[in-house]
Short mmCIF file of all heavy atoms in Angstrom, two decimals:
data_model
loop_
_atom_site.label_atom_id
_atom_site.label_comp_id
_atom_site.label_asym_id
_atom_site.label_seq_id
_atom_site.Cartn_x
_atom_site.Cartn_y
_atom_site.Cartn_z
N LEU A 408 34.46 5.44 0.47
CA LEU A 408 35.66 4.88 0.51
C LEU A 408 35.70 3.57 1.30
O LEU A 408 36.29 2.52 0.95
CB LEU A 408 36.67 5.85 1.29
CG LEU A 408 37.13 7.08 0.43
CD1 LEU A 408 38.00 7.99 1.34
CD2 LEU A 408 37.87 6.64 -0.79
N GLN A 409 34.92 3.47 2.40
CA GLN A 409 34.75 2.31 3.14
C GLN A 409 34.01 1.16 2.31
O GLN A 409 34.38 0.07 2.31
CB GLN A 409 33.99 2.57 4.42
CG GLN A 409 33.87 1.33 5.35
CD GLN A 409 33.09 1.62 6.60
OE1 GLN A 409 32.37 2.61 6.66
NE2 GLN A 409 33.09 0.73 7.55
N ARG A 410 32.99 1.64 1.52
CA ARG A 410 32.31 0.76 0.70
C ARG A 410 33.30 0.10 -0.34
O ARG A 410 33.18 -1.08 -0.61
CB ARG A 410 31.09 1.36 0.02
CG ARG A 410 30.21 0.44 -0.78
CD ARG A 410 29.11 1.24 -1.39
NE ARG A 410 28.24 1.97 -0.38
CZ ARG A 410 27.23 1.42 0.22
NH1 ARG A 410 26.85 0.18 -0.11
NH2 ARG A 410 26.54 2.16 1.09
N HIS A 411 34.06 1.08 -1.10
CA HIS A 411 34.93 0.45 -2.10
C HIS A 411 36.00 -0.34 -1.43
O HIS A 411 36.48 -1.36 -2.06
CB HIS A 411 35.61 1.68 -2.78
CG HIS A 411 34.69 2.51 -3.56
ND1 HIS A 411 33.57 1.98 -4.21
CD2 HIS A 411 34.59 3.85 -3.87
CE1 HIS A 411 32.86 2.91 -4.88
NE2 HIS A 411 33.49 4.07 -4.63
N ALA A 412 36.42 -0.15 -0.28
CA ALA A 412 37.45 -0.95 0.44
C ALA A 412 36.91 -2.36 0.66
O ALA A 412 37.60 -3.36 0.49
CB ALA A 412 37.96 -0.22 1.79
N ARG A 413 35.63 -2.40 1.14
CA ARG A 413 35.14 -3.68 1.36
C ARG A 413 34.90 -4.51 0.11
O ARG A 413 34.99 -5.66 0.04
CB ARG A 413 33.76 -3.47 2.10
CG ARG A 413 33.83 -3.20 3.56
CD ARG A 413 32.56 -2.98 4.18
NE ARG A 413 32.71 -2.82 5.67
CZ ARG A 413 32.66 -3.93 6.61
NH1 ARG A 413 32.53 -5.10 6.10
NH2 ARG A 413 32.87 -3.65 7.82
N GLN A 414 34.55 -3.75 -1.04
CA GLN A 414 34.35 -4.44 -2.35
C GLN A 414 35.71 -5.05 -2.76
O GLN A 414 35.76 -6.13 -3.37
CB GLN A 414 33.84 -3.46 -3.29
CG GLN A 414 32.33 -2.98 -3.05
CD GLN A 414 31.85 -1.93 -4.06
OE1 GLN A 414 32.57 -1.65 -4.93
NE2 GLN A 414 30.70 -1.39 -3.74
N GLY A 415 36.75 -4.17 -2.63
CA GLY A 415 38.06 -4.67 -3.08
C GLY A 415 38.45 -5.83 -2.22
O GLY A 415 39.08 -6.79 -2.76
N LEU A 416 38.17 -5.82 -0.93
CA LEU A 416 38.57 -6.91 -0.03
C LEU A 416 37.85 -8.19 -0.48
O LEU A 416 38.43 -9.26 -0.51
CB LEU A 416 38.33 -6.54 1.37
CG LEU A 416 38.71 -7.62 2.45
CD1 LEU A 416 40.24 -7.84 2.38
CD2 LEU A 416 38.37 -7.07 3.89
N ALA A 417 36.52 -8.11 -0.73
CA ALA A 417 35.75 -9.20 -1.18
C ALA A 417 36.23 -9.78 -2.46
O ALA A 417 36.36 -11.04 -2.57
CB ALA A 417 34.22 -8.84 -1.30
N ALA A 418 36.56 -8.91 -3.40
CA ALA A 418 37.14 -9.41 -4.69
C ALA A 418 38.46 -10.06 -4.50
O ALA A 418 38.77 -11.18 -5.04
CB ALA A 418 37.22 -8.24 -5.68
N ALA A 419 39.28 -9.46 -3.73
CA ALA A 419 40.63 -10.09 -3.38
C ALA A 419 40.49 -11.39 -2.75
O ALA A 419 41.17 -12.43 -3.03
CB ALA A 419 41.51 -9.15 -2.62
N GLY A 420 39.57 -11.52 -1.78
CA GLY A 420 39.34 -12.74 -1.03
C GLY A 420 38.91 -13.92 -1.93
O GLY A 420 39.35 -15.05 -1.87
N VAL A 421 37.91 -13.62 -2.84
CA VAL A 421 37.41 -14.59 -3.80
C VAL A 421 38.56 -14.99 -4.71
O VAL A 421 38.80 -16.16 -5.03
CB VAL A 421 36.20 -14.06 -4.55
CG1 VAL A 421 35.88 -14.98 -5.72
CG2 VAL A 421 35.03 -13.89 -3.57
N GLY A 422 39.25 -14.06 -5.19
CA GLY A 422 40.40 -14.25 -6.15
C GLY A 422 41.44 -15.18 -5.49
O GLY A 422 41.96 -16.13 -6.11
N PHE A 423 41.76 -14.94 -4.18
CA PHE A 423 42.68 -15.87 -3.48
C PHE A 423 42.15 -17.18 -3.39
O PHE A 423 43.03 -18.17 -3.53
CB PHE A 423 43.00 -15.18 -2.06
CG PHE A 423 43.89 -16.06 -1.20
CD1 PHE A 423 45.38 -16.05 -1.48
CD2 PHE A 423 43.38 -16.87 -0.25
CE1 PHE A 423 46.12 -16.90 -0.67
CE2 PHE A 423 44.20 -17.63 0.52
CZ PHE A 423 45.62 -17.65 0.32
N VAL A 424 40.96 -17.41 -2.92
CA VAL A 424 40.31 -18.69 -2.86
C VAL A 424 40.33 -19.48 -4.18
O VAL A 424 40.69 -20.66 -4.26
CB VAL A 424 38.92 -18.62 -2.20
CG1 VAL A 424 38.21 -19.94 -2.29
CG2 VAL A 424 38.99 -18.11 -0.78
N VAL A 425 39.86 -18.71 -5.18
CA VAL A 425 39.87 -19.40 -6.46
C VAL A 425 41.33 -19.81 -6.95
O VAL A 425 41.53 -20.98 -7.45
CB VAL A 425 39.37 -18.48 -7.54
CG1 VAL A 425 39.44 -19.04 -8.99
CG2 VAL A 425 37.89 -18.22 -7.25
N LEU A 426 42.29 -18.95 -6.76
CA LEU A 426 43.69 -19.20 -7.14
C LEU A 426 44.15 -20.53 -6.30
O LEU A 426 44.86 -21.40 -6.81
CB LEU A 426 44.62 -18.06 -6.91
CG LEU A 426 46.04 -18.24 -7.24
CD1 LEU A 426 46.22 -18.58 -8.71
CD2 LEU A 426 46.82 -16.97 -6.85
N ALA A 427 43.86 -20.51 -4.94
CA ALA A 427 44.33 -21.62 -4.18
C ALA A 427 43.72 -22.97 -4.57
O ALA A 427 44.36 -23.88 -4.63
CB ALA A 427 44.05 -21.34 -2.74
N LEU A 428 42.41 -22.90 -4.88
CA LEU A 428 41.75 -24.15 -5.41
C LEU A 428 42.35 -24.58 -6.67
O LEU A 428 42.48 -25.81 -6.89
CB LEU A 428 40.28 -23.87 -5.47
CG LEU A 428 39.53 -23.70 -4.21
CD1 LEU A 428 37.99 -23.22 -4.41
CD2 LEU A 428 39.48 -25.03 -3.43
N VAL A 429 42.65 -23.65 -7.56
CA VAL A 429 43.19 -24.01 -8.93
C VAL A 429 44.59 -24.71 -8.71
O VAL A 429 44.88 -25.72 -9.31
CB VAL A 429 43.23 -22.86 -9.86
CG1 VAL A 429 44.07 -23.26 -11.13
CG2 VAL A 429 41.78 -22.44 -10.22
N LEU A 430 45.45 -24.04 -7.88
CA LEU A 430 46.80 -24.55 -7.71
C LEU A 430 46.85 -25.82 -6.99
O LEU A 430 47.82 -26.63 -7.16
CB LEU A 430 47.65 -23.37 -6.99
CG LEU A 430 47.81 -22.12 -7.73
CD1 LEU A 430 48.59 -21.12 -6.79
CD2 LEU A 430 48.62 -22.40 -9.01
N THR A 431 45.88 -26.08 -6.16
CA THR A 431 45.87 -27.38 -5.41
C THR A 431 45.05 -28.44 -6.10
O THR A 431 44.74 -29.50 -5.41
CB THR A 431 45.38 -27.15 -3.94
OG1 THR A 431 44.03 -26.61 -3.95
CG2 THR A 431 46.30 -26.21 -3.21
N THR A 432 44.60 -28.25 -7.25
CA THR A 432 43.73 -29.27 -7.99
C THR A 432 44.62 -30.52 -8.21
O THR A 432 45.69 -30.42 -8.74
CB THR A 432 43.26 -28.74 -9.30
OG1 THR A 432 42.49 -27.53 -8.99
CG2 THR A 432 42.43 -29.82 -10.06
N PRO A 433 44.14 -31.70 -7.73
CA PRO A 433 44.88 -32.92 -8.01
C PRO A 433 44.93 -33.26 -9.54
O PRO A 433 44.06 -32.85 -10.37
CB PRO A 433 44.15 -33.96 -7.35
CG PRO A 433 42.72 -33.50 -7.21
CD PRO A 433 42.83 -31.91 -7.09
#
Side-chain angles (χ1 to χ4, degrees):
L408 290 178
Q409 185 181 14
R410 187 182 299 273
H411 293 325
R413 286 180 172 269
Q414 293 174 7
L416 184 59
V421 170
F423 175 79
V424 170
V425 170
L426 181 61
L428 288 172
V429 171
L430 293 178
T431 57
T432 300

